[in-house]
Amino acid sequence: MDKKTHRKTGLHLIMKQKNVLKNIIMLYGMSIAKIVFPLLTLPYLTRVLSVESYGVVSYVKAVMQYMQLGVDFGFMLSGTRDIVKEKNDHEKLEKEVGDVLLARILLAAAAFVVLLGMIAVIPLLRANIGYTLLAFVTVFLSVFLFDYFFRGIEKMQVITLRFVAMRGIATALTFVFVHSDKDILFVPLLDTIGSLVAVILVLIELKKEKISIRFSGIKAAWKKLKDSFVYFASNMATTAFGALNTLLIGAFLPATEVAYWSVCMQLIGAVQTMYTPITEGVYPEMIKTKSWKFIKRLLMIFMPIVLAGSVFSVAVAPYVLLIVGGEQYVAATSLFRALVPVLIFSFPGIVLGWPTLGALDKAAQVTKTTILAAVVQVVSLLLLIATGHFTVMWIAIFRCVTEFVLMTCRGWYCWKYRKEFC
């Protein structure tokens, strides 16, 4: 290789490394934004809205999580994969974007029909039909955000900037327009405005990339749906840990219970989000080393911190709920304390999943443990309903059991494949 070619290759590698670093920084920025924006509005909404009204907001949000899951249908993974494969062929790239778009429009139509059915049978949604339908508009607009495309061409800054713009606008306007229960319809309306701005920004970026959307037809869109189903199934199993609980609580219990549960789970979720940088940092190292000693050392370092933090959370629970939600949410102290074991079990469960088993190319086993835990969760909820013990405290207990099952199953697989570790 001559010096000129060597310099060119070296420059290419440096640019590639810088691009990867930029993408990582942008995705971390979005992760932080996903924590910050909800935590900004949570204390405000819990104070200006009654517990019942905040329960409606939380319940409809949980319903929309399922609607969004159906509309996304795993395309964030399968769509990104297909874009990466075809990004050097502009015409095929445009068809990939068009086929996924058509598939997602069909999914949005199906989701809307399902939502109408839910409104017909769930009193909480029926009593707040205007709010529910407005909230769905944001789900429909997400079809035109094309996140999978920008992930595929490795321009994560577009995704991050549109997310910050979308959530930033909605958050800022919430403080301006939402002051009491009579302003509750502004919550989904402001989300819609933020989403419209995001769609405009994304369409401008698509134009810069000289992408003209081409449709191959219904047959091609249907094939995309079949190819993406496996990703959808995995995502659906994971969602059973969160939104399903809220969904059923709203269907069988008063709106106040939905509010208490949602506030507690938002706090638990905020802590779990702090686990992500650790596990994402471990994964590349484990792919290279496949070292079980490394995992043991990691758990020995962080588990005492997790345990100490959990004990601290139990001790300060009423004060945290007072600060975040106000006096009316201090009544949820016992519920929050019952959910703290989730924090203890979920950390090793996450570490033993993709960073450990995934590094051994045991993706199927990781997915199996997720599905098994989801089945345990669903069966537990059905048993509680059937036996008349469907209360938020019992749901919290079984939520902890589910997380324990996930941790134990992944631990068993690690023991089973222990000889494959270095």
Side-chain angles (χ1 to χ4, degrees), residues 376-402:
V376 171
Q377 174 89 354
V378 172
V379 170
S380 300
L381 292 171
L382 293 176
L383 283 173
L384 290 176
I385 294 170
T387 59
H389 290 87
F390 194 77
T391 66
V392 286
M393 284 302 295
W394 273 110
I395 295 169
I397 291 168
F398 278 105
R399 178 68 184 84
C400 297
V401 170
T402 302

PDB file of all heavy atoms in Angstrom, residues 376-402:
ATOM      1  N   VAL A 376     -45.449 -15.072  32.894  1.00  0.00           N
ATOM      2  CA  VAL A 376     -45.663 -15.088  34.347  1.00  0.00           C
ATOM      3  C   VAL A 376     -46.427 -13.845  34.782  1.00  0.00           C
ATOM      4  O   VAL A 376     -47.358 -13.914  35.593  1.00  0.00           O
ATOM      5  CB  VAL A 376     -44.316 -15.180  35.103  1.00  0.00           C
ATOM      6  CG1 VAL A 376     -44.510 -14.968  36.603  1.00  0.00           C
ATOM      7  CG2 VAL A 376     -43.663 -16.524  34.856  1.00  0.00           C
ATOM      8  N   GLN A 377     -46.048 -12.707  34.204  1.00  0.00           N
ATOM      9  CA  GLN A 377     -46.709 -11.444  34.530  1.00  0.00           C
ATOM     10  C   GLN A 377     -48.187 -11.477  34.156  1.00  0.00           C
ATOM     11  O   GLN A 377     -49.063 -11.136  34.954  1.00  0.00           O
ATOM     12  CB  GLN A 377     -46.005 -10.306  33.787  1.00  0.00           C
ATOM     13  CG  GLN A 377     -46.660  -8.951  33.901  1.00  0.00           C
ATOM     14  CD  GLN A 377     -46.162  -8.173  35.098  1.00  0.00           C
ATOM     15  OE1 GLN A 377     -45.403  -8.684  35.914  1.00  0.00           O
ATOM     16  NE2 GLN A 377     -46.594  -6.947  35.208  1.00  0.00           N
ATOM     17  N   VAL A 378     -48.472 -11.916  32.934  1.00  0.00           N
ATOM     18  CA  VAL A 378     -49.850 -11.938  32.440  1.00  0.00           C
ATOM     19  C   VAL A 378     -50.702 -12.926  33.240  1.00  0.00           C
ATOM     20  O   VAL A 378     -51.834 -12.614  33.647  1.00  0.00           O
ATOM     21  CB  VAL A 378     -49.880 -12.290  30.936  1.00  0.00           C
ATOM     22  CG1 VAL A 378     -51.315 -12.498  30.465  1.00  0.00           C
ATOM     23  CG2 VAL A 378     -49.220 -11.187  30.117  1.00  0.00           C
ATOM     24  N   VAL A 379     -50.170 -14.125  33.481  1.00  0.00           N
ATOM     25  CA  VAL A 379     -50.904 -15.141  34.253  1.00  0.00           C
ATOM     26  C   VAL A 379     -51.188 -14.639  35.666  1.00  0.00           C
ATOM     27  O   VAL A 379     -52.286 -14.837  36.206  1.00  0.00           O
ATOM     28  CB  VAL A 379     -50.116 -16.467  34.301  1.00  0.00           C
ATOM     29  CG1 VAL A 379     -50.748 -17.448  35.289  1.00  0.00           C
ATOM     30  CG2 VAL A 379     -50.055 -17.100  32.915  1.00  0.00           C
ATOM     31  N   SER A 380     -50.213 -13.968  36.268  1.00  0.00           N
ATOM     32  CA  SER A 380     -50.389 -13.415  37.619  1.00  0.00           C
ATOM     33  C   SER A 380     -51.537 -12.410  37.651  1.00  0.00           C
ATOM     34  O   SER A 380     -52.379 -12.435  38.559  1.00  0.00           O
ATOM     35  CB  SER A 380     -49.097 -12.746  38.092  1.00  0.00           C
ATOM     36  OG  SER A 380     -48.030 -13.659  38.144  1.00  0.00           O
ATOM     37  N   LEU A 381     -51.567 -11.544  36.649  1.00  0.00           N
ATOM     38  CA  LEU A 381     -52.625 -10.539  36.583  1.00  0.00           C
ATOM     39  C   LEU A 381     -53.995 -11.192  36.408  1.00  0.00           C
ATOM     40  O   LEU A 381     -54.976 -10.788  37.043  1.00  0.00           O
ATOM     41  CB  LEU A 381     -52.345  -9.565  35.433  1.00  0.00           C
ATOM     42  CG  LEU A 381     -51.127  -8.645  35.598  1.00  0.00           C
ATOM     43  CD1 LEU A 381     -50.842  -7.897  34.303  1.00  0.00           C
ATOM     44  CD2 LEU A 381     -51.342  -7.657  36.736  1.00  0.00           C
ATOM     45  N   LEU A 382     -54.062 -12.208  35.553  1.00  0.00           N
ATOM     46  CA  LEU A 382     -55.334 -12.905  35.332  1.00  0.00           C
ATOM     47  C   LEU A 382     -55.801 -13.621  36.600  1.00  0.00           C
ATOM     48  O   LEU A 382     -56.998 -13.635  36.918  1.00  0.00           O
ATOM     49  CB  LEU A 382     -55.194 -13.903  34.185  1.00  0.00           C
ATOM     50  CG  LEU A 382     -54.963 -13.296  32.781  1.00  0.00           C
ATOM     51  CD1 LEU A 382     -54.742 -14.402  31.750  1.00  0.00           C
ATOM     52  CD2 LEU A 382     -56.134 -12.407  32.377  1.00  0.00           C
ATOM     53  N   LEU A 383     -54.858 -14.210  37.352  1.00  0.00           N
ATOM     54  CA  LEU A 383     -55.202 -14.878  38.606  1.00  0.00           C
ATOM     55  C   LEU A 383     -55.731 -13.879  39.634  1.00  0.00           C
ATOM     56  O   LEU A 383     -56.692 -14.168  40.367  1.00  0.00           O
ATOM     57  CB  LEU A 383     -53.979 -15.611  39.163  1.00  0.00           C
ATOM     58  CG  LEU A 383     -53.612 -16.936  38.486  1.00  0.00           C
ATOM     59  CD1 LEU A 383     -52.295 -17.466  39.029  1.00  0.00           C
ATOM     60  CD2 LEU A 383     -54.727 -17.963  38.687  1.00  0.00           C
ATOM     61  N   LEU A 384     -55.115 -12.710  39.694  1.00  0.00           N
ATOM     62  CA  LEU A 384     -55.564 -11.681  40.631  1.00  0.00           C
ATOM     63  C   LEU A 384     -56.986 -11.231  40.298  1.00  0.00           C
ATOM     64  O   LEU A 384     -57.810 -11.022  41.187  1.00  0.00           O
ATOM     65  CB  LEU A 384     -54.610 -10.485  40.605  1.00  0.00           C
ATOM     66  CG  LEU A 384     -53.215 -10.706  41.205  1.00  0.00           C
ATOM     67  CD1 LEU A 384     -52.349  -9.470  41.015  1.00  0.00           C
ATOM     68  CD2 LEU A 384     -53.307 -11.049  42.689  1.00  0.00           C
ATOM     69  N   ILE A 385     -57.264 -11.093  39.007  1.00  0.00           N
ATOM     70  CA  ILE A 385     -58.613 -10.696  38.579  1.00  0.00           C
ATOM     71  C   ILE A 385     -59.625 -11.795  38.928  1.00  0.00           C
ATOM     72  O   ILE A 385     -60.699 -11.533  39.470  1.00  0.00           O
ATOM     73  CB  ILE A 385     -58.639 -10.402  37.067  1.00  0.00           C
ATOM     74  CG1 ILE A 385     -57.785  -9.162  36.751  1.00  0.00           C
ATOM     75  CG2 ILE A 385     -60.071 -10.182  36.578  1.00  0.00           C
ATOM     76  CD1 ILE A 385     -57.545  -8.940  35.273  1.00  0.00           C
ATOM     77  N   ALA A 386     -59.248 -13.053  38.634  1.00  0.00           N
ATOM     78  CA  ALA A 386     -60.159 -14.177  38.848  1.00  0.00           C
ATOM     79  C   ALA A 386     -60.461 -14.426  40.314  1.00  0.00           C
ATOM     80  O   ALA A 386     -61.570 -14.849  40.675  1.00  0.00           O
ATOM     81  CB  ALA A 386     -59.569 -15.443  38.220  1.00  0.00           C
ATOM     82  N   THR A 387     -59.487 -14.163  41.191  1.00  0.00           N
ATOM     83  CA  THR A 387     -59.658 -14.443  42.625  1.00  0.00           C
ATOM     84  C   THR A 387     -60.130 -13.235  43.426  1.00  0.00           C
ATOM     85  O   THR A 387     -60.289 -13.329  44.643  1.00  0.00           O
ATOM     86  CB  THR A 387     -58.338 -14.966  43.230  1.00  0.00           C
ATOM     87  OG1 THR A 387     -57.305 -13.975  43.033  1.00  0.00           O
ATOM     88  CG2 THR A 387     -57.919 -16.275  42.579  1.00  0.00           C
ATOM     89  N   GLY A 388     -60.346 -12.104  42.753  1.00  0.00           N
ATOM     90  CA  GLY A 388     -60.819 -10.914  43.454  1.00  0.00           C
ATOM     91  C   GLY A 388     -59.751 -10.207  44.272  1.00  0.00           C
ATOM     92  O   GLY A 388     -60.067  -9.448  45.191  1.00  0.00           O
ATOM     93  N   HIS A 389     -58.474 -10.447  43.957  1.00  0.00           N
ATOM     94  CA  HIS A 389     -57.367  -9.803  44.684  1.00  0.00           C
ATOM     95  C   HIS A 389     -56.653  -8.759  43.825  1.00  0.00           C
ATOM     96  O   HIS A 389     -55.491  -8.442  44.051  1.00  0.00           O
ATOM     97  CB  HIS A 389     -56.350 -10.851  45.145  1.00  0.00           C
ATOM     98  CG  HIS A 389     -56.862 -11.745  46.232  1.00  0.00           C
ATOM     99  ND1 HIS A 389     -57.573 -12.900  45.973  1.00  0.00           N
ATOM    100  CD2 HIS A 389     -56.781 -11.634  47.581  1.00  0.00           C
ATOM    101  CE1 HIS A 389     -57.897 -13.477  47.113  1.00  0.00           C
ATOM    102  NE2 HIS A 389     -57.441 -12.732  48.106  1.00  0.00           N
ATOM    103  N   PHE A 390     -57.372  -8.225  42.825  1.00  0.00           N
ATOM    104  CA  PHE A 390     -56.749  -7.279  41.906  1.00  0.00           C
ATOM    105  C   PHE A 390     -56.651  -5.899  42.560  1.00  0.00           C
ATOM    106  O   PHE A 390     -57.540  -5.046  42.418  1.00  0.00           O
ATOM    107  CB  PHE A 390     -57.543  -7.195  40.602  1.00  0.00           C
ATOM    108  CG  PHE A 390     -56.808  -6.512  39.483  1.00  0.00           C
ATOM    109  CD1 PHE A 390     -55.821  -7.168  38.777  1.00  0.00           C
ATOM    110  CD2 PHE A 390     -57.103  -5.192  39.153  1.00  0.00           C
ATOM    111  CE1 PHE A 390     -55.140  -6.533  37.748  1.00  0.00           C
ATOM    112  CE2 PHE A 390     -56.437  -4.551  38.126  1.00  0.00           C
ATOM    113  CZ  PHE A 390     -55.451  -5.224  37.420  1.00  0.00           C
ATOM    114  N   THR A 391     -55.560  -5.675  43.301  1.00  0.00           N
ATOM    115  CA  THR A 391     -55.273  -4.388  43.937  1.00  0.00           C
ATOM    116  C   THR A 391     -53.868  -3.974  43.534  1.00  0.00           C
ATOM    117  O   THR A 391     -53.047  -4.819  43.134  1.00  0.00           O
ATOM    118  CB  THR A 391     -55.352  -4.484  45.469  1.00  0.00           C
ATOM    119  OG1 THR A 391     -54.294  -5.355  45.937  1.00  0.00           O
ATOM    120  CG2 THR A 391     -56.695  -5.023  45.922  1.00  0.00           C
ATOM    121  N   VAL A 392     -53.562  -2.699  43.662  1.00  0.00           N
ATOM    122  CA  VAL A 392     -52.237  -2.223  43.252  1.00  0.00           C
ATOM    123  C   VAL A 392     -51.120  -2.848  44.091  1.00  0.00           C
ATOM    124  O   VAL A 392     -50.009  -3.080  43.596  1.00  0.00           O
ATOM    125  CB  VAL A 392     -52.146  -0.677  43.308  1.00  0.00           C
ATOM    126  CG1 VAL A 392     -52.917  -0.046  42.165  1.00  0.00           C
ATOM    127  CG2 VAL A 392     -52.591  -0.137  44.645  1.00  0.00           C
ATOM    128  N   MET A 393     -51.406  -3.165  45.358  1.00  0.00           N
ATOM    129  CA  MET A 393     -50.384  -3.777  46.199  1.00  0.00           C
ATOM    130  C   MET A 393     -50.054  -5.192  45.718  1.00  0.00           C
ATOM    131  O   MET A 393     -48.875  -5.570  45.641  1.00  0.00           O
ATOM    132  CB  MET A 393     -50.838  -3.819  47.656  1.00  0.00           C
ATOM    133  CG  MET A 393     -50.752  -2.485  48.369  1.00  0.00           C
ATOM    134  SD  MET A 393     -49.068  -1.780  48.375  1.00  0.00           S
ATOM    135  CE  MET A 393     -48.198  -2.993  49.362  1.00  0.00           C
ATOM    136  N   TRP A 394     -51.068  -5.978  45.383  1.00  0.00           N
ATOM    137  CA  TRP A 394     -50.814  -7.322  44.875  1.00  0.00           C
ATOM    138  C   TRP A 394     -50.130  -7.267  43.514  1.00  0.00           C
ATOM    139  O   TRP A 394     -49.248  -8.089  43.210  1.00  0.00           O
ATOM    140  CB  TRP A 394     -52.112  -8.112  44.773  1.00  0.00           C
ATOM    141  CG  TRP A 394     -52.483  -8.819  46.037  1.00  0.00           C
ATOM    142  CD1 TRP A 394     -53.515  -8.528  46.878  1.00  0.00           C
ATOM    143  CD2 TRP A 394     -51.809  -9.948  46.610  1.00  0.00           C
ATOM    144  NE1 TRP A 394     -53.536  -9.398  47.951  1.00  0.00           N
ATOM    145  CE2 TRP A 394     -52.503 -10.278  47.812  1.00  0.00           C
ATOM    146  CE3 TRP A 394     -50.700 -10.721  46.239  1.00  0.00           C
ATOM    147  CZ2 TRP A 394     -52.100 -11.346  48.625  1.00  0.00           C
ATOM    148  CZ3 TRP A 394     -50.304 -11.776  47.048  1.00  0.00           C
ATOM    149  CH2 TRP A 394     -51.008 -12.079  48.227  1.00  0.00           C
ATOM    150  N   ILE A 395     -50.504  -6.309  42.702  1.00  0.00           N
ATOM    151  CA  ILE A 395     -49.855  -6.148  41.388  1.00  0.00           C
ATOM    152  C   ILE A 395     -48.375  -5.818  41.579  1.00  0.00           C
ATOM    153  O   ILE A 395     -47.506  -6.342  40.871  1.00  0.00           O
ATOM    154  CB  ILE A 395     -50.552  -5.045  40.567  1.00  0.00           C
ATOM    155  CG1 ILE A 395     -51.992  -5.460  40.243  1.00  0.00           C
ATOM    156  CG2 ILE A 395     -49.794  -4.776  39.265  1.00  0.00           C
ATOM    157  CD1 ILE A 395     -52.833  -4.341  39.671  1.00  0.00           C
ATOM    158  N   ALA A 396     -48.078  -4.971  42.556  1.00  0.00           N
ATOM    159  CA  ALA A 396     -46.683  -4.611  42.854  1.00  0.00           C
ATOM    160  C   ALA A 396     -45.880  -5.833  43.293  1.00  0.00           C
ATOM    161  O   ALA A 396     -44.734  -6.024  42.874  1.00  0.00           O
ATOM    162  CB  ALA A 396     -46.640  -3.532  43.931  1.00  0.00           C
ATOM    163  N   ILE A 397     -46.505  -6.660  44.130  1.00  0.00           N
ATOM    164  CA  ILE A 397     -45.825  -7.872  44.612  1.00  0.00           C
ATOM    165  C   ILE A 397     -45.477  -8.798  43.440  1.00  0.00           C
ATOM    166  O   ILE A 397     -44.344  -9.281  43.322  1.00  0.00           O
ATOM    167  CB  ILE A 397     -46.702  -8.605  45.651  1.00  0.00           C
ATOM    168  CG1 ILE A 397     -46.783  -7.785  46.938  1.00  0.00           C
ATOM    169  CG2 ILE A 397     -46.145 -10.003  45.943  1.00  0.00           C
ATOM    170  CD1 ILE A 397     -47.838  -8.257  47.916  1.00  0.00           C
ATOM    171  N   PHE A 398     -46.452  -9.013  42.559  1.00  0.00           N
ATOM    172  CA  PHE A 398     -46.196  -9.903  41.424  1.00  0.00           C
ATOM    173  C   PHE A 398     -45.277  -9.259  40.389  1.00  0.00           C
ATOM    174  O   PHE A 398     -44.597  -9.963  39.632  1.00  0.00           O
ATOM    175  CB  PHE A 398     -47.512 -10.349  40.790  1.00  0.00           C
ATOM    176  CG  PHE A 398     -48.155 -11.489  41.506  1.00  0.00           C
ATOM    177  CD1 PHE A 398     -49.271 -11.297  42.312  1.00  0.00           C
ATOM    178  CD2 PHE A 398     -47.617 -12.768  41.409  1.00  0.00           C
ATOM    179  CE1 PHE A 398     -49.853 -12.355  42.993  1.00  0.00           C
ATOM    180  CE2 PHE A 398     -48.197 -13.838  42.081  1.00  0.00           C
ATOM    181  CZ  PHE A 398     -49.315 -13.637  42.883  1.00  0.00           C
ATOM    182  N   ARG A 399     -45.245  -7.940  40.356  1.00  0.00           N
ATOM    183  CA  ARG A 399     -44.266  -7.249  39.483  1.00  0.00           C
ATOM    184  C   ARG A 399     -42.854  -7.568  39.945  1.00  0.00           C
ATOM    185  O   ARG A 399     -41.950  -7.798  39.126  1.00  0.00           O
ATOM    186  CB  ARG A 399     -44.528  -5.742  39.514  1.00  0.00           C
ATOM    187  CG  ARG A 399     -43.547  -4.922  38.683  1.00  0.00           C
ATOM    188  CD  ARG A 399     -43.729  -5.183  37.192  1.00  0.00           C
ATOM    189  NE  ARG A 399     -42.728  -4.483  36.413  1.00  0.00           N
ATOM    190  CZ  ARG A 399     -41.504  -4.929  36.176  1.00  0.00           C
ATOM    191  NH1 ARG A 399     -41.120  -6.109  36.645  1.00  0.00           N
ATOM    192  NH2 ARG A 399     -40.658  -4.245  35.454  1.00  0.00           N
ATOM    193  N   CYS A 400     -42.652  -7.620  41.252  1.00  0.00           N
ATOM    194  CA  CYS A 400     -41.349  -7.989  41.820  1.00  0.00           C
ATOM    195  C   CYS A 400     -41.034  -9.458  41.522  1.00  0.00           C
ATOM    196  O   CYS A 400     -39.892  -9.804  41.191  1.00  0.00           O
ATOM    197  CB  CYS A 400     -41.331  -7.749  43.327  1.00  0.00           C
ATOM    198  SG  CYS A 400     -41.529  -6.022  43.811  1.00  0.00           S
ATOM    199  N   VAL A 401     -42.058 -10.313  41.647  1.00  0.00           N
ATOM    200  CA  VAL A 401     -41.880 -11.748  41.355  1.00  0.00           C
ATOM    201  C   VAL A 401     -41.445 -11.943  39.911  1.00  0.00           C
ATOM    202  O   VAL A 401     -40.543 -12.741  39.612  1.00  0.00           O
ATOM    203  CB  VAL A 401     -43.190 -12.526  41.637  1.00  0.00           C
ATOM    204  CG1 VAL A 401     -43.089 -13.958  41.111  1.00  0.00           C
ATOM    205  CG2 VAL A 401     -43.493 -12.529  43.126  1.00  0.00           C
ATOM    206  N   THR A 402     -42.076 -11.221  38.994  1.00  0.00           N
ATOM    207  CA  THR A 402     -41.748 -11.321  37.570  1.00  0.00           C
ATOM    208  C   THR A 402     -40.292 -10.963  37.321  1.00  0.00           C
ATOM    209  O   THR A 402     -39.583 -11.646  36.572  1.00  0.00           O
ATOM    210  CB  THR A 402     -42.653 -10.393  36.742  1.00  0.00           C
ATOM    211  OG1 THR A 402     -44.019 -10.741  36.970  1.00  0.00           O
ATOM    212  CG2 THR A 402     -42.340 -10.504  35.264  1.00  0.00           C
TER     213      THR A 402
END
